[in-house]
């Protein structure tokens, strides 16, 4: 039977078919749907959203050492968070297959950077698999788990956005029998204290050689001989683009690129006149080919930055043939006439808006973080000054404070981000006698990645009710004495609490709590209207940055279809021109 599946759904199917019994992860585009799809098999597979990627990695590692097949999922930057256990699990190895499914985001569609996860595979000296399409995504899960078990190594399945999110037909198979967990005690194998760790270190090098030989024989890598004038080494998704743009060329299709399949690379290079390497992001295979003494072209012709596409590869071909690269481009898609620009903004009724509105009244530095509230950086809110990575909204505030920044520093993190990596920062603020004000904008969900549960929501990925971690209690347990909770829709009260905490000498924690209305799918109140006769166009309501409030030179209006009825605009209107009721004055 075949089914049309996205790359992420196909990976989930591969996880199911391969008899995996433990699947963990932390949301992050473009990886999130893998675990969501796995959770449909919750009778067979235990799955969880872990508080962060390091936890997800370690939980899966524990399951794998007990003998189960286990996987964890994350986006590329998540592997930075999980890098510590990754590096040493490589030494320890695994009993049941262990695969980290890591989704890269070339082009930074929804990420703060564009790192290439294959570097981590080389860094940790473990195999990395890279599917070209949904069918292969499913198959490689099974292969990666098998290789992981046979070679006693963790493995990485790296996808990029196009594979994760494009759909293709996938042949479905049966689920293999799952192994029962039964941990066998053996400290020299599982405890990398130096005397044993040094032995593991030797094993890792020896394993690399065997893996490279296997990679040369593996069905994941194959040579397709065609015209021998040009041979293209195509890695992962690049294979699909290469076949379309260079249909006549011989191709070495690599879906298992590290440890490098040297024998296969040499055989291919020896069989063609000229070698071109096409890989998304960095020149990992290209650099290695050069180190083998194989002359080749690659990033000089193929873009290093952003996603590859057939269009971009056509430009490469044009350059190789000495034609104008413009000539290689497809005719541009005609632009729809007069489409208005849509700057990114917080949704109508977003509770985060209340906090940014309150902060707008104060001359403070705001260290922000990653989540929907990152949008506070844009006009008209303009209330975020820095963003680094998850958790840094707390810690960078403390750093600025300790550096002697004369203004008060306010750190903002979301609820999911707080549980992910904000808690240790808060502990630092309290322990090291900081004075910053930390705000947790708690909308009761991980909104930015599509409303996943987390330790504060009271629900698990398996759909069970569970304990709700209290941000306020955690703050107090960290040693923060000033802890306040506000309703961000109450602008006056929010501004009052912000002022009191910002002016305090000691560090404080403010929890701004209101559920994301997109998640609860509920209106917050009746839509508001602007009484044109009373409105003097002072712009106070426009400064909220609500997409439902539309203005031009002549008037300010509220779009009834967009208005969520949160009432913030009514509170900022000094002339009571914004009201509940029929749209008097609005046509
Ligand atoms: C290390 C890492 N993991 C995952 C992500 C993807 N990601 C971006 S923001 C975010 C959390 C957003 O949730 P929350 O902090 O509750 O804020 P909200 O979007 O709900 O306002 C996640 C998981 C990331 N950017 N970095």
């Amino acid at each position: 039977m075949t089914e049309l599946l996205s790359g992420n759904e196909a990976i989930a199917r591969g996880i199911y078919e391969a008899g995996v019994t433990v699947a963990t992860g932390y949301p992050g585009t473009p990886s999130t749907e893998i675990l969501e799809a796995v959770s449909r098999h919750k009778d067979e597979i235990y799955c969880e959203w872990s508080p962060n990627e390091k936890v997800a990695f370690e939980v899966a590692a524990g399951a794998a050492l007990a003998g189960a097949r286990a996987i964890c999922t994350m986006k590329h930057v998540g592997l930075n968070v999980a890098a510590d256990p990754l590096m040493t699990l490589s030494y320890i190895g695994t009993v049941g297959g262990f695969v980290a499914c890591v989704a890269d985001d070339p082009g930074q569609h929804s990420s703060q950077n564009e790192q290439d996860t294959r570097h981590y595979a080389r860094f940790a000296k473990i195999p990395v698999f890279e599917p070209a399409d949904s069918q292969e995504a499913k198959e490689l899960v099974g292969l990666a788990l098998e290789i992981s078990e046979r070679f006693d190594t963790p493995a990485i399945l790296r996808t990029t956005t196009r594979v994760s999110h494009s759909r293709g037909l996938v042949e479905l198979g049966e689920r293999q029998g799952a192994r029962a967990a039964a941990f066998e005690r053996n400290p020299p194998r599982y405890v990398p204290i130096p005397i044993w760790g040094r032995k593991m270190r030797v094993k890792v090098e020896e394993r690399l050689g065997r893996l490279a030989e296997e990679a040369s024989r593996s069905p994941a890598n194959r040579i397709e001989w065609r015209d021998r004038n040009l041979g293209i080494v195509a890695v992962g998704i690049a294979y699909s683009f290469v076949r379309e743009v260079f249909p006549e060329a011989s191709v070495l299709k690599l879906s298992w690129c590290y440890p490098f399949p040297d024998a296969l690379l040499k055989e291919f290079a020896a069989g063609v006149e000229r070698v071109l390497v096409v890989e998304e992001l960095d020149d990992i295979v290209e650099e290695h080919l050069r180190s083998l003494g194989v002359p080749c072209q690659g990033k000089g012709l193929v873009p290093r930055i952003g996603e590859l596409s057939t269009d971009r590869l056509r430009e490469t071909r044009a350059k190789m043939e000495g034609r104008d690269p413009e000539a290689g481009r497809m005719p541009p898609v005609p632009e729809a006439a007069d489409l208005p620009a849509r700057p990114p903004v917080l949704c109508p009724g977003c509770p985060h808006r209340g906090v940014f509105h309150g902060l707008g009244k104060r001359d403070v530095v705001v260290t922000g973080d990653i989540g929907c509230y990152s949008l506070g950086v844009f006009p008209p809110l303009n209330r975020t000054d820095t963003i680094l990575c998850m958790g840094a909204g707390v810690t960078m505030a403390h750093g600025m404070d300790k550096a002697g920044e004369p203004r008060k520093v306010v750190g903002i993190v979301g609820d999911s981000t707080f549980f992910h990596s904000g808690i240790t920062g808060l502990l630092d603020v309290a322990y090291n006698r900081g004075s910053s004000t930390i705000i947790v904008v708690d909308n009761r969900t991980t909104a930015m990645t599509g409303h996943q549960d987390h330790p504060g929501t009271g629900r698990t990925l398996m759909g069970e009710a569970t304990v709700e971690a209290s941000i306020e209690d955690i703050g107090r347990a960290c040693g923060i004495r000033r802890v306040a909770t506000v309703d961000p829709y109450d602008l006056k009260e929010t501004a009052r609490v912000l002022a009191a905490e910002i002016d305090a000498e000691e560090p404080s924690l403010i929890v701004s709590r209101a559920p994301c209305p997109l998640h609860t799918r509920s209106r917050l109140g009746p839509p508001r209207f602007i009484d044109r006769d009373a409105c003097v166009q002072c712009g106070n309501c426009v400064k909220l940055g609500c997409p439902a409030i539309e203005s031009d030179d002549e008037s300010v209006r509220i779009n009834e279809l967009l208005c969520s009825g949160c009432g913030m605009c009514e509170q900022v209107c000094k002339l009571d021109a914004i009201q509940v009721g029929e749209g008097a004055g609005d046509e």
Side-chain angles (χ1 to χ4, degrees):
M1 196 173 78
T2 56
E3 215 175 292
L4 193 63
L5 298 179
S6 70
N8 281 345
E9 289 166 334
I11 290 171
R13 180 73 201 183
I15 289 167
Y16 169 78
E17 290 181 10
V20 167
T21 50
V22 174
T24 63
Y26 183 72
T29 313
S31 72
T32 314
E33 301 84 3
I34 302 174
L35 208 54
E36 286 176 335
V38 170
S39 73
R40 287 179 214 135
H41 302 291
K42 60 177 188 250
D43 290 342
E44 292 95 351
I45 306 175
Y46 167 78
C47 50
E48 69 168 44
W49 287 128
S50 310
N52 67 33
E53 294 86 351
K54 178 178 183 305
V55 174
F57 192 102
E58 293 162 354
V59 171
L65 291 200
R69 284 192 157 184
I71 62 103
C72 56
T73 72
M74 61 199 68
K75 70 182 290 171
H76 61 310
V77 283
L79 196 54
N80 300 336
V81 178
D84 196 8
L86 168 73
M87 291 300 160
T88 305
L89 190 65
S90 165
Y91 279 39
I92 293 172
T94 187
V95 181
F98 175 101
V99 176
C101 303
V102 185
D104 286 6
D105 185 17
Q108 294 176 247
H109 295 283
S110 34
S111 307
Q112 64 269 40
N113 74 22
E114 201 185 40
Q115 66 194 43
D116 188 330
T117 288
R118 295 176 301 162
H119 289 293
Y120 268 114
R122 195 160 55 166
F123 196 8
K125 299 173 188 276
I126 61 171
V128 58
F129 299 86
E130 256 187 286
D133 55 33
S134 293
Q135 175 69 39
E136 205 182 21
K138 192 202 83 164
E139 284 164 11
L140 287 183
V141 174
L143 180 67
L145 284 162
E146 185 205 314
I147 295 295
S148 164
E149 282 163 4
R150 263 177 58 205
F151 290 83
D152 188 7
T153 177
I156 293 177
L157 182 77
R158 176 218 191 200
T159 54
T160 55
T161 314
R162 284 304 128 180
V163 173
S164 304
H165 287 166
S166 317
R167 290 180 171 270
L169 280 177
V170 176
E171 187 80 38
L172 305 188
E174 295 293 314
R175 178 168 163 86
Q176 287 179 28
R179 296 133 184 262
F183 179 67
E184 282 178 31
R185 298 181 67 196
N186 184 358
R189 179 166 179 201
Y190 300 123
V191 183
I193 53 173
I195 44 162
W196 293 325
R198 286 188 206 112
K199 295 201 173 101
M200 297 176 186
R201 171 78 188 88
V202 176
K203 175 191 85 175
V204 167
E205 286 306 315
E206 176 269 328
R207 185 181 70 196
L208 267 183
R210 287 188 293 119
L211 281 165
E213 283 168 22
E214 180 70 17
S216 280
R217 289 190 293 264
S218 169
N221 297 327
R222 65 164 187 264
I223 295 176
E224 297 172 3
W225 293 118
R226 294 184 196 88
D227 183 348
R228 305 259 183 157
N229 282 325
L230 176 64
I232 302 183
V233 181
V235 189
I237 178 89
Y239 173 77
S240 318
F241 306 136
V242 164
R243 287 296 296 124
E244 218 171 301
V245 178
F246 297 90
E248 77 291 0
S250 292
V251 175
L252 168 54
K253 176 183 186 311
L254 289 187
S255 293
W256 177 1
C257 83
Y258 184 83
F260 301 108
D262 284 354
L264 201 64
L265 286 167
K266 286 182 193 158
E267 180 194 342
F268 183 65
V272 294
E273 294 283 310
R274 182 179 175 192
V275 177
L276 172 72
V277 183
V278 184
E279 52 194 327
E280 216 164 32
L281 296 186
D282 292 337
D283 49 355
I284 293 178
V285 174
E286 178 187 344
E287 198 183 86
H288 180 70
L289 264 180
R290 292 224 172 85
S291 79
L292 291 178
V294 174
C296 61
Q297 289 176 294
K299 292 298 168 191
L301 293 165
V302 181
R304 180 190 296 273
I305 299 173
E307 279 192 294
L308 290 183
S309 63
T310 43
D311 228 19
R312 295 185 91 190
L313 215 54
R314 276 196 192 95
E315 290 173 31
T316 299
R317 181 165 190 147
K319 273 192 251 169
M320 288 169 77
E321 291 170 358
R323 289 183 287 123
D324 175 6
E326 296 285 328
R329 232 173 252 161
M330 293 287 273
V333 179
E335 278 185 26
D338 299 330
L339 269 186
R342 291 213 308 153
V345 281
L346 293 171
C347 303
C350 175
H352 299 339
R353 184 172 283 111
V355 169
F356 288 117
H357 174 264
L359 283 173
K361 298 180 185 307
R362 302 291 307 224
D363 182 22
V364 289
V365 177
V366 180
T367 55
D369 212 302
I370 306 182
C372 290
Y373 48 95
S374 306
L375 294 166
V377 73
F378 291 113
L381 298 170
N382 298 319
R383 225 54 206 102
T384 297
D385 297 304
T386 64
I387 290 179
L388 176 62
C389 62
M390 289 188 75
V394 180
T395 37
M396 287 192 48
H398 183 57
M400 284 200 189
D401 173 28
K402 288 293 176 185
E405 163 57 42
R407 282 160 296 187
K408 184 74 181 222
V409 190
V410 176
I412 299 192
V413 296
D415 42 342
S416 191
T417 302
F418 178 76
F419 294 116
H420 177 278
S421 48
I423 298 173
T424 42
L426 194 66
L427 200 56
D428 191 39
V429 172
Y431 169 54
N432 285 307
R433 304 167 60 92
S435 70
S436 45
T437 298
I438 305 302
I439 305 175
V440 180
V441 283
D442 178 9
N443 57 4
R444 317 289 301 143
T445 187
T446 316
M448 190 172 217
T449 45
H451 299 124
Q452 290 77 28
D453 280 301
H454 61 58
T457 64
R459 274 210 101 64
T460 70
L461 178 60
M462 306 278 281
E464 302 149 328
T466 185
V467 288
E468 280 180 38
S470 156
I471 298 169
E472 289 89 336
D473 286 353
I474 290 173
R476 280 186 280 265
C478 286
I480 303 285
R481 287 179 299 194
R482 297 184 69 97
V483 177
T485 308
V486 294
D487 169 4
Y489 293 116
D490 184 342
L491 295 183
K492 213 162 154 192
E493 178 62 6
T494 301
R496 188 193 66 74
V497 170
L498 279 174
E501 299 311 318
I502 286 170
D503 292 339
E505 299 274 304
E506 64 174 296
S508 56
L509 172 69
I510 302 174
V511 182
S512 160
R513 180 167 294 123
C516 168
L518 242 60
H519 189 39
T520 55
R521 292 170 185 266
S522 54
R523 272 192 160 275
L524 296 158
R528 303 305 201 264
F529 297 92
I530 296 183
D531 176 350
R532 287 249 187 106
D533 297 333
C535 176
V536 295
Q537 295 188 54
C538 66
N540 267 354
C541 59
V542 177
K543 283 189 214 133
L544 286 170
C546 175
I549 302 178
E550 300 169 347
S551 67
D552 55 29
D553 292 343
E554 275 159 34
S555 68
V556 184
R557 299 165 302 278
I558 295 177
N559 184 328
E560 191 188 346
L561 293 176
L562 291 180
C563 178
S564 68
C566 76
M568 286 193 206
C569 54
E570 193 179 337
Q571 294 173 58
V572 297
C573 181
K574 297 205 170 73
L575 297 166
D576 290 334
I578 302 183
Q579 299 150 10
V580 174
E582 282 309 302
D586 266 4
E587 58 271 6

